[in-house]
Amino acid sequence: MGQENENLVSGVPPQQYQQPGFSNQPPNYNPQQYQQGYVPQNTVVYVNNNPGLDNSAVGQIVAFVVGFFCCCAWVFGFFQLKHENPLTRIFAIINAVLFSLVCFSFVLGFVFFLVWLIFVVAVGASL
């Protein structure tokens, strides 16, 4: 204790003790040492900022066209109503609306057919 105080007073820094195997100095970093045999590779990343035709939009357009020949194809519009691509979303909404209209028309036509059938049977029975 007395020796440390003497060194501080005289302006000489106290002796630093360090554990064996540890160093206060950072290790020498030689970038050439670690890059021997390293071949840099270029990575190309494509970012599509154009929300145009992608696979899901093409699928919805095909479902839209095929739906005029087989209306069951329009049911695929319900699967992508919340897609992030606006073109896909628009065709999905159109397909879903067309499918709903066709289903409503079939149900309404079936109801009218039943009413007509009941009317024909009732009128035929009264003759």
Side-chain angles (χ1 to χ4, degrees):
M1 183 169 162
Q3 187 181 17
E4 288 179 14
N5 289 339
E6 287 176 8
N7 287 342
L8 288 176
V9 172
S10 65
V12 178
Q15 186 179 15
Q16 295 180 354
Y17 297 99
Q18 79 185 113
Q19 295 177 351
F22 293 102
S23 171
N24 289 340
Q25 304 259 337
N28 293 335
Y29 175 71
N30 185 0
Q32 298 299 328
Q33 176 185 4
Y34 293 105
Q35 294 194 7
Q36 290 176 352
Y38 174 74
V39 178
Q41 298 176 353
N42 295 335
T43 303
V44 179
V45 178
Y46 294 101
V47 178
N48 184 9
N49 291 331
N50 183 9
L53 288 178
D54 60 354
N55 289 338
S56 58
V58 170
Q60 287 299 315
I61 293 170
V62 168
F64 175 73
V65 172
V66 171
F68 287 104
F69 302 101
C70 177
C71 60
C72 297
W74 284 331
V75 76
F76 293 110
F78 287 105
F79 297 129
Q80 294 181 341
L81 286 175
K82 295 184 179 181
H83 198 274
E84 69 252 2
N85 187 342
L87 184 64
T88 303
R89 195 175 329 121
I90 287 170
F91 273 100
I93 291 170
I94 291 171
N95 289 339
V97 167
L98 288 174
F99 181 76
S100 300
L101 286 174
V102 167
C103 286
F104 180 72
S105 298
F106 278 135
V107 169
L108 193 62
F110 185 71
V111 169
F112 281 137
F113 174 74
L114 287 178
V115 169
W116 176 79
L117 188 63
I118 293 171
F119 179 73
V120 167
V121 170
V123 169
S126 67
L127 290 178

